[in-house]
Amino acid sequence: MSDAYDYFRAHAIAAARKARSLPRGRTKQKQRTVARIYHLLSKEAALGPNVQHLDDFRSARRLERQIGR
C-alpha cells in the first residue's frame, strides 16, 4: 500500500466519524459527502501513484473547513 492510500483512508475514517456525531441536517449531509470523496480518493490512490489526487484532496479539505465553521 502506498502512503497516499493510508493518508486518504485516515481522512475518510475521520470524516465519517465526524458525520456520525453531527445532528441530522445539511451539515451532516455535507460531511458525509466529504467522507465519500476521501474514500474514493483512497481507492484511486491504491491503484497507483497519481499527482492529480492532490487537487481533489485540497478541494475536499477546503469544503470540510467550510463545514466546520
Side-chain angles (χ1 to χ4, degrees):
M1 283 188 253
S2 70
D3 292 335
Y5 168 78
D6 296 331
Y7 189 70
F8 291 143
R9 182 164 164 77
H11 278 284
I13 291 169
R17 286 181 181 160
K18 183 177 177 183
R20 284 189 201 118
S21 68
L22 292 172
R24 288 186 178 184
R26 186 78 176 137
T27 306
K28 184 172 188 162
Q29 290 175 340
K30 286 181 182 179
Q31 187 64 39
R32 289 183 67 208
T33 301
V34 168
R36 281 189 291 238
I37 291 169
Y38 287 143
H39 182 69
L40 290 173
L41 287 172
S42 70
K43 283 183 173 182
E44 288 181 7
L47 297 175
N50 192 344
V51 180
Q52 296 172 351
H53 297 303
L54 296 177
D55 293 332
D56 297 333
F57 176 72
R58 288 182 187 124
S59 298
R61 290 292 288 177
R62 249 183 271 123
L63 177 61
E64 190 172 20
R65 283 189 207 114
Q66 289 175 355
I67 293 170
R69 291 182 187 166

